[in-house]
Amino acid sequence: MSWLKRRRRDRLRRQPFPPEWEDILSHNVLYYSLLPDNVKAELRGHVQVLIAEKNWEGCGGLEMTDEIKVTVAGQAAVLLLHRETDYFPELRSILVYPEAFVAPTVEENLGDEFVEGEDVHYGQSWDWGTVVLSWRHALRGTRNRDDGNNLILHEFAHQLDHEDGVTNGTPLLDDEDAQAEWGRVLSGEFEQLWRDVEQNRRTLIDDYGATDPSEFFAVVTECFFERPHALQKRHPELYDVLRQFYRQDPAALRDSAGK
């Protein structure tokens, strides 16, 4: 990171945080209320950088507002706490629709033919620098911290995953030991989820995580922050690996807050 970028970001983080933005975080990003004051200040600084550096666009008739920006940036900033960060460096634009949106698809058919179609989405994370969200679904996820579903966490976890240039379920890790432990634990957990889904067994982790390793990482990130006690109890190794990566312990945080 260049000294000029670092200085600009330090200046952004030192700017006064608007009181109305604080109200938005408290009301819409429920995880924020669990944080001690010094960590709240860290998150607010991340919000200021994300809002200033990214391009924000309302789509489908949605007017981009401070509430949308602060809510999305605040929830995304949870993933950056306590870590050296370049603020999702591949991400350029955040597009927000009022509701679920339709995106084109191209699928290979038999005989090497390609069939165009359309799918309905709540969110997408594109490798070429864009996150797309349904505001209704994003807001519903961030206002309920206990259901294990959080669209913003999911899509921004994909951005973390892609920081090394490959979206494969393995984000940038500290060293070879961390990479080895990550590969061992997450590969085993992914395979177990896939088998459970195939056998129609009930799982704590959303079965969408069995799609591929990148979706597994995004789904378990949601579960780690939203259902930490259950994940820690049923998947202790997975919880510990995520705790080390994110440098946060949501279960202990909730215990200390009495929530």
Side-chain angles (χ1 to χ4, degrees):
M1 185 190 307
S2 71
W3 70 269
L4 185 61
K5 180 186 287 187
R6 190 182 299 274
R7 187 174 71 173
R8 184 180 70 246
R9 287 173 172 174
D10 286 344
R11 187 169 61 249
L12 285 168
R13 287 189 290 260
R14 287 196 301 268
Q15 289 180 354
F17 198 78
E20 58 271 23
W21 287 16
E22 174 90 20
D23 291 342
I24 292 168
L25 287 177
S26 298
H27 186 64
N28 287 356
V29 184
L30 297 188
Y31 190 80
Y32 180 75
S33 67
L34 301 175
L35 302 174
D37 289 344
N38 64 317
V39 183
K40 285 182 177 179
E42 180 187 353
L43 186 143
R44 291 194 298 267
H46 291 336
V47 167
Q48 289 173 297
V49 174
L50 287 169
I51 288 177
E53 290 192 350
K54 307 306 179 184
N55 175 54
W56 299 80
E57 295 183 32
C59 303
L62 181 70
E63 177 185 356
M64 182 55 62
T65 64
D66 282 354
E67 181 183 17
I68 296 172
K69 291 180 183 179
V70 173
T71 301
V72 174
Q75 189 66 78
V78 168
L79 303 181
L80 307 179
L81 293 172
H82 312 317
R83 301 191 297 125
E84 185 71 24
T85 178
D86 198 15
Y87 293 97
F88 310 105
E90 301 301 317
L91 178 63
R92 300 290 177 266
S93 295
I94 298 157
L95 311 182
V96 186
Y97 286 83
E99 295 278 351
F101 53 93
V102 176
T105 62
V106 178
E107 296 183 1
E108 187 174 359
N109 208 349
L110 294 176
D112 294 327
E113 295 181 355
F114 292 90
V115 178
E116 296 183 358
E118 292 181 333
D119 277 343
V120 176
H121 294 272
Y122 302 148
Q124 288 186 316
S125 177
W126 302 345
D127 292 347
W128 52 92
T130 302
V131 163
V132 191
L133 301 167
S134 157
W135 173 234
R136 183 167 74 87
H137 294 88
L139 187 60
R140 184 172 65 190
T142 196
R143 281 183 173 175
N144 187 339
R145 63 171 172 237
D146 300 315
D147 64 353
N149 296 311
N150 189 303
L151 180 65
I152 301 171
L153 289 179
H154 185 105
E155 301 305 340
F156 279 85
H158 282 313
Q159 288 294 315
L160 287 182
D161 188 2
H162 190 65
E163 284 188 6
D164 60 357
V166 182
T167 307
N168 60 0
T170 303
L172 286 172
L173 299 166
D174 291 337
D175 51 43
E176 291 184 359
D177 289 342
Q179 292 172 8
E181 183 71 356
W182 184 277
R184 182 184 69 82
V185 173
L186 269 82
S187 293
E189 293 280 0
F190 170 71
E191 291 172 5
Q192 183 60 56
L193 178 63
W194 188 87
R195 288 193 295 269
D196 288 341
V197 171
E198 285 290 296
Q199 296 297 319
N200 292 316
R201 290 192 286 261
R202 189 174 181 179
T203 61
L204 170 68
I205 300 168
D206 193 299
D207 59 12
Y208 187 62
T211 304
D212 58 48
S214 66
E215 294 299 346
F216 182 75
F217 170 54
V219 163
V220 296
T221 291
E222 295 177 80
C223 194
F224 175 72
F225 285 103
E226 296 231 328
R227 303 192 67 187
H229 288 106
L231 187 68
Q232 187 178 46
K233 180 178 180 180
R234 296 174 60 175
H235 303 270
E237 280 194 310
L238 177 59
Y239 184 90
D240 193 54
V241 167
L242 292 170
R243 180 186 58 80
Q244 293 180 57
F245 172 68
Y246 284 116
R247 300 182 186 180
Q248 299 182 65
D249 191 343
L253 188 65
R254 291 195 182 205
D255 290 340
S256 64
K259 297 180 180 180

